[in-house]
Amino acid sequence: MNPRCSPWERFPNVLRNQDFFEEHLRALFRETDRMIQARNQSEGYRFRQKRTLLTLFYEASSRTETTFLRAAQNLGMDTIAVRDPARLSSEVKGESFEDAIRTYGGPKKDDAYRIADIIVLRHEEEDRPERAASVSAVPIINAGNGSDQHPTQSFVDVYAIEKIVGRLDNLHVGIVGDLRHGRTCRSLAYLLPKVGTGIRFTFISHPDLQMGRDVCDYLRQHGIRFDVHAEYGNVLPELDLLYVTRLQKERDPEKLRALAPALAPLRLTPERLEALRPEARVFHPLPIDSSVPELSEMTPELCAQARARDRDPRLVWFDQCDYGVPVRMALLSLIFGA
Ligand code: NCD
């Protein structure tokens, strides 16, 4: 593929999934295949020009930040991970967010003054990716903006669905958990129907934690079929994929902790797993919240099973997670037209 034709170069920011078209995803998945092959065959794949990726994470992360750093390093990039900016950056001295972004990625008179060539941002406030993009001269990647979206997680999820389930068309996808605050659920609902035809969603949650009206309206406008359920009912045997998520208790700790018992009846148990077809797959964006085992979205047996070598073939969230590095390598490669 001629990289000059890449749709990613025309608009290199990754802010929200409504911005993307099927051609973005197809190009991304081809590039991911290429990254995996290059890795298997030779030294791998490296940028010729020196570039620096900066991560700016105001919220906790285990996977997204480290996989971006690993992806960048695999491509021969330099990396800077800003330490705990909520506590340690000059914002605690009253500096505006815009001035901080201008420092890291604003226009520079000379490349020698440059700190970052791309900024990966996670923040609890939903408008931060847009605000960052409005003052940055380098691409901004939204790595999670509050309860809104997490586009690159959904890139990983959709790539993983194609590889693990074997197709993107005619899938019945159940999404269960805190859909109201779960940014990975929202991003997946926007993204999957852009590459898969005949997608049908069933959103399963307590009414106070159901999928936002904005996403439902978008799906309706685009003719995507979805149902909203408060319980599993008879849906489990019909699903091709069950996407399980945790209660996002950090969004409103008091209120959401009080709702935890209301979500507990939806947790995945060995009995519920048995109701899924043998070919169905269970995804989870991780982390699984095991802090109070009886309130976790997944029973401890299933967590242990998923880590075991001879696991039930339906419990695939670590395989899903392992695509994080190559998909993010591919994204960086397309953004920089390398
Ligand atoms: C998710 C997130 O940060 O939204 N984590 C991730 O990046 N895979 C999911 C979550 O925290 O529940």
Side-chain angles (χ1 to χ4, degrees):
M1 184 183 67
N2 176 356
R4 294 280 137 223
C5 297
S6 163
W8 293 93
E9 278 182 90
R10 293 197 290 273
F11 181 69
N13 293 316
V14 176
L15 304 180
R16 39 172 237 152
N17 280 354
Q18 297 92 310
D19 295 336
F20 299 116
F21 298 103
E22 180 174 4
E23 54 169 338
H24 289 96
L25 282 305
R26 292 283 168 215
L28 181 70
F29 295 168
R30 268 199 309 274
E31 188 72 355
T32 308
D33 290 342
R34 224 160 66 82
M35 289 292 159
I36 292 172
Q37 268 161 16
R39 198 83 194 140
N40 291 340
Q41 278 164 11
S42 63
E43 294 282 282
Y45 187 94
R46 303 194 138 236
F47 287 165
R48 249 173 254 129
Q49 201 181 325
K50 202 70 186 156
R51 290 202 173 88
T52 302
L53 174 136
L54 180 138
T55 57
L56 187 60
F57 275 53
Y58 291 81
E59 286 191 320
S61 172
S62 295
R63 275 150 289 272
T64 307
E65 185 170 25
T66 55
T67 54
F68 261 114
L69 294 170
R70 180 76 265 162
Q73 289 159 9
N74 285 351
L75 294 167
M77 294 176 77
D78 285 335
T79 55
I80 299 174
V82 177
R83 321 179 310 283
D84 196 359
R87 230 167 42 83
L88 298 179
S89 80
S90 287
E91 278 180 63
V92 297
K93 303 179 186 172
E95 184 175 42
S96 73
F97 176 71
E98 280 76 4
D99 279 0
I101 297 293
R102 166 68 183 74
T103 304
Y104 300 134
K108 307 283 175 193
K109 282 210 190 73
D110 189 303
D111 274 356
Y113 308 148
R114 192 174 285 293
I115 295 177
D117 297 289
I118 187 162
I119 297 173
V120 182
L121 170 71
R122 172 171 285 189
H123 202 290
E124 67 275 16
E125 289 179 18
E126 296 184 6
D127 64 352
R128 295 298 175 120
E130 290 280 354
R131 282 173 58 184
S134 74
V135 292
S136 178
V138 303
I140 299 291
I141 299 194
N142 173 11
N145 59 330
S147 300
D148 184 21
Q149 287 208 38
H150 190 347
T152 68
Q153 177 66 42
S154 60
F155 301 163
V156 174
D157 292 341
V158 176
Y159 183 80
I161 293 173
E162 185 160 50
K163 294 294 155 184
I164 295 172
V165 180
R167 67 180 200 278
L168 290 174
D169 294 328
N170 303 315
L171 291 173
H172 185 174
V173 178
I175 308 187
V176 61
D178 181 356
L179 315 187
R180 172 155 176 218
H181 305 99
R183 56 196 176 196
T184 66
C185 310
R186 296 169 47 82
S187 282
L188 181 64
Y190 281 122
L191 199 76
L192 180 57
K194 289 180 191 274
V195 267
T197 54
I199 298 293
R200 171 181 173 192
F201 290 112
T202 297
F203 300 135
I204 307 144
S205 193
H206 182 276
D208 290 349
L209 299 171
Q210 258 301 353
M211 188 57 89
R213 182 178 299 171
D214 52 348
V215 175
C216 294
D217 286 346
Y218 183 92
L219 296 176
R220 243 179 247 116
Q221 278 158 19
H222 289 79
I224 312 301
R225 182 167 172 200
F226 68 92
D227 300 291
V228 174
H229 290 196
E231 295 167 359
Y232 283 110
N234 296 326
V235 82
L236 284 171
E238 292 177 14
L239 297 178
D240 299 297
L241 190 98
L242 179 64
Y243 189 91
V244 182
T245 62
R246 72 182 174 92
L247 181 66
Q248 307 281 307
K249 56 193 179 195
E250 68 273 31
R251 298 289 162 229
D252 185 348
E254 216 170 292
K255 183 168 164 230
L256 292 178
R257 274 178 211 284
L259 273 173
L263 267 195
L266 298 178
R267 68 209 302 256
L268 195 67
T269 59
E271 299 70 44
R272 293 226 167 88
L273 180 66
E274 281 322 304
L276 288 170
R277 285 182 293 111
E279 323 76 73
R281 294 291 177 263
V282 182
F283 275 48
H284 194 305
L286 299 176
I288 294 170
D289 180 357
S290 307
S291 58
V292 182
E294 55 291 1
L295 294 179
S296 172
E297 68 274 18
M298 199 72 77
T299 61
E301 303 93 293
L302 293 183
C303 292
Q305 258 264 7
R307 290 189 299 262
R309 245 174 226 284
D310 60 341
R311 61 168 168 74
D312 185 302
R314 290 170 289 196
L315 305 178
V316 294
W317 49 83
F318 286 114
D319 296 343
Q320 170 195 359
C321 161
D322 287 345
Y323 287 117
V325 172
V327 170
R328 291 183 170 109
M329 285 174 73
L331 179 64
L332 296 173
S333 164
L334 290 174
I335 287 175
F336 290 119

